[in-house]
Amino acid sequence: GAGVSQSPSNKVTEKGKDVELRCDPISGHTALYWYRQSLGQGLEFLIYFQGNSAPDKSGLPSDRFSAERTGGSVSTLTIQRTQQEDSAVYLCASSRDSNQPQHFGDGTRLSIL
Amino acid sequence: AQSVTQPDIHITVSEGASLELRCNYSYGATPYLFWYVQSPGQGLQLLLKYFSGDTLVQGIKGFEAEFKRSQSSFNLRKPSVHWSDAAEYFCAVQTGGTSYGKLTFGQGTILTVHP
């Protein structure tokens, strides 16, 4: 069956612009996670969704970052007023519930000029 | 807070040789433990997981890992490495309760395979 789908696969934008990253999880997976992978920080948790609600947003680095999930399915991670330190690969993962293994998408590589 | 340490940043082995990648974790109880593999430009693929029970777990692609509670370790092994195993490997832990299943990752180990 289809895996976790992320779009775009690559995004290049100018500093100060807003970006939206999309994640389409595996059908039926109620849990959805966003992670960030960067050279300096490794893999870091950003936010967790259970259905449409986000009980854990503790990993979001600043108020420029926000995320939503609609219909218990697609999620969008938005970064406002991008900075160069936002350059990273943003990975989305989903699982049947929070106690099941997570399946990852191929990520969105974000480059801030 | 939990943490994961992968002591080896980069390992090089010859094709056909055995492999062991080390992982140590710090957590007050026994977490769920995972190994993921990442090829360039791709996401993470789950190799194997330990939740409970038998401490030697088998995964995909001929990999296995052994959980040792006394050493807080979960080392990944493969008896004979193939060139296609070259990739970056991540150990991760998942704790219960209010962590909501989020994964804490080690820094990763890059595996190079020589022909």
Side-chain angles (χ1 to χ4, degrees), chain A residues 44-101:
Chain A
E44 306 172 284
F45 165 80
L46 297 177
I47 187 169
Y48 158 67
F49 285 93
Q50 178 58 42
N52 291 337
S53 63
D56 190 350
K57 308 177 183 178
S58 63
L60 294 179
S62 75
D63 58 7
R64 296 187 295 105
F65 287 71
S66 63
E68 65 175 10
R69 188 179 185 193
T70 56
S73 180
V74 172
S75 176
T76 302
L77 177 69
T78 301
I79 309 173
Q80 295 179 310
R81 304 180 303 281
T82 52
Q83 303 294 312
Q84 287 192 332
E85 61 262 29
D86 300 334
S87 295
V89 176
Y90 290 81
L91 292 164
C92 177
S94 71
S95 57
R96 290 193 180 281
D97 60 50
S98 62
N99 291 319
Q100 297 299 316

Side-chain angles (χ1 to χ4, degrees), chain A residues 6-13 19-22 34-39 77 79 84 86-92 105-113, chain B residues 38-43 88:
Chain A
Q6 292 188 246
S7 60
S9 54
N10 285 281
K11 177 72 175 179
V12 181
T13 192
V19 295
E20 284 191 353
L21 312 180
R22 176 187 168 107
W34 284 96
Y35 295 88
R36 180 169 71 173
Q37 185 175 25
S38 57
L39 281 176
L77 177 69
I79 309 173
Q84 287 192 332
D86 300 334
S87 295
V89 176
Y90 290 81
L91 292 164
C92 177
D106 285 342
T108 293
R109 181 173 297 276
L110 178 63
S111 300
I112 310 299
L113 302 179
Chain B
Q38 186 179 36
S39 297
Q42 302 202 344
E88 189 163 14

Side-chain angles (χ1 to χ4, degrees), chain B residues 54-74:
Chain B
D54 192 347
T55 57
L56 184 64
V57 294
Q58 302 297 320
I60 62 171
K61 303 185 180 187
F63 285 92
E64 66 178 26
E66 185 172 15
F67 168 60
K68 293 186 177 180
R69 185 189 311 273
S70 62
Q71 299 176 18
S72 297
S73 69
F74 188 57

